[in-house]
Amino acid sequence: AQKVTQAQTEISVVEKEDVTLDCVYETRDTTYYLFWYKQPPSGELVFLIRRNSFDEQNEISGRYSWNFQKSTSSFNFTITASQVVDSAVYFCALSEGTSGTYKYIFGTGTRLKVLA
Amino acid sequence: DTEVTQTPKHLVMGMTNKKSLKCEQHMGHRAMYWYKQKAKKPPELMFVYSYEKLSINESVPSRFSPECPNSSLLNLHLHALQPEDSALYLCASSQEGNTYNEQFFGPGTRLTVL
């Protein structure tokens, strides 16, 4: 069965600290896609990254980086030198290549609080 | 224009009212989605439209009625709602209705049913 686990319900850090948000997924498909979304208090989910199952290269975008490891079924997200504006709920999501239903399976989200 | 807009931002309605939520995108996307999100929970998919045709209904009660008048517009008609239907309703769109396209979300309509 497909599942996404974000075990960290809430994380608090002080500004400028690095923080890693964990995401562990389960799927039987060999083709799948993983996503991270940010949901600030305003409510809108903001797309951050998509990764397909055949591409295990890590990615860096400014202060954000992602570590995809198929061996541990994890797709972790690190924010370097966190800022107050990073405070939000972050969702990891899985979409399976062969299910044909284009449904996201969301994790339960991690609430990140960055304190000034 | 990479924006999905939703109106209204907030809506309060009684259980006997009829109201509609509106969603619009001008990105040329061919798939549009309605999600419901309760506090401290992830979004739950309700409906998917692909090329203006309803392709997924996640067993949503008939008091929610979606409509896709054209490829840019998505409505959600509400009738005889229950207090437990109070939630944030999010609209999203993607280039195609498939598993790999990222979805772009609107800011949501915060609905309160009295």
Side-chain angles (χ1 to χ4, degrees):
Chain A
Q2 58 278 67
K3 189 178 173 184
V4 175
T5 300
Q6 294 180 256
Q8 305 149 307
T9 307
E10 188 166 314
I11 302 175
S12 290
V13 298
V14 176
E15 210 171 15
K16 296 186 186 167
E17 284 185 2
D18 299 347
V19 58
T20 295
L21 310 182
D22 297 333
C23 173
V24 174
Y25 62 91
E26 293 176 34
T27 177
R28 291 193 194 134
D29 275 6
T30 55
T31 302
Y32 53 89
Y33 301 85
L34 295 162
F35 303 81
W36 274 96
Y37 281 85
K38 172 183 179 181
Q39 188 174 36
S42 57
E44 178 177 351
L45 272 82
V46 178
F47 167 72
L48 297 178
I49 190 171
R50 175 190 63 208
R51 180 58 89 216
N52 76 59
S53 52
F54 300 108
D55 182 2
E56 282 193 77
Q57 277 197 342
N58 291 330
E59 179 145 345
I60 297 175
S61 175
R63 296 184 298 106
Y64 294 171
S65 62
W66 290 269
N67 183 353
F68 177 30
Q69 292 201 328
K70 284 176 79 169
S71 59
T72 55
S73 297
S74 64
F75 185 41
N76 297 337
F77 172 31
T78 297
I79 302 175
T80 303
S82 59
Q83 299 176 1
V84 173
V85 293
D86 296 327
S87 297
V89 179
Y90 290 86
F91 290 100
C92 180
L94 166 71
S95 179
E96 292 175 318
T98 56
S99 70
T101 61
Y102 32 88
K103 277 176 61 171
Y104 280 172
I105 297 143
F106 282 98
T108 49
T110 297
R111 181 176 300 275
L112 175 65
K113 292 185 179 178
V114 181
L115 308 170
Chain B
D1 185 359
T2 57
E3 197 180 42
V4 176
T5 59
Q6 289 187 245
T7 54
K9 280 189 164 46
H10 299 275
L11 179 62
V12 179
M13 60 187 289
M15 288 191 283
T16 58
N17 291 158
K18 284 186 183 180
K19 296 284 185 186
S20 297
L21 310 185
K22 182 179 169 182
C23 172
E24 201 160 0
Q25 58 88 13
H26 294 289
M27 295 178 276
H29 288 175
R30 304 316 302 263
M32 295 186 78
Y33 310 75
W34 279 116
Y35 286 87
K36 173 183 176 179
Q37 187 178 26
K38 300 284 269 185
K40 298 186 189 284
K41 298 285 186 186
E44 297 172 31
L45 184 65
M46 299 175 72
F47 302 104
V48 180
Y49 273 83
S50 181
Y51 288 86
E52 300 163 46
K53 290 198 176 350
L54 182 65
S55 59
I56 295 177
N57 176 343
E58 289 287 289
S59 303
V60 178
S62 59
R63 57 186 184 268
F64 295 91
S65 174
E67 179 196 18
C68 189
N70 59 56
S71 60
S72 301
L73 200 52
L74 187 66
N75 298 321
L76 186 63
H77 303 298
L78 314 173
H79 174 53
L81 294 194
Q82 304 296 311
E84 59 265 28
D85 296 322
S86 298
L88 179 67
Y89 287 84
L90 292 162
C91 174
S93 70
S94 64
Q95 195 165 5
E96 299 277 342
N98 57 40
T99 52
Y100 56 82
N101 283 153
E102 61 270 29
Q103 295 177 24
F104 294 87
F105 286 79
T109 293
R110 204 164 288 280
L111 174 68
T112 303
V113 181
L114 301 176

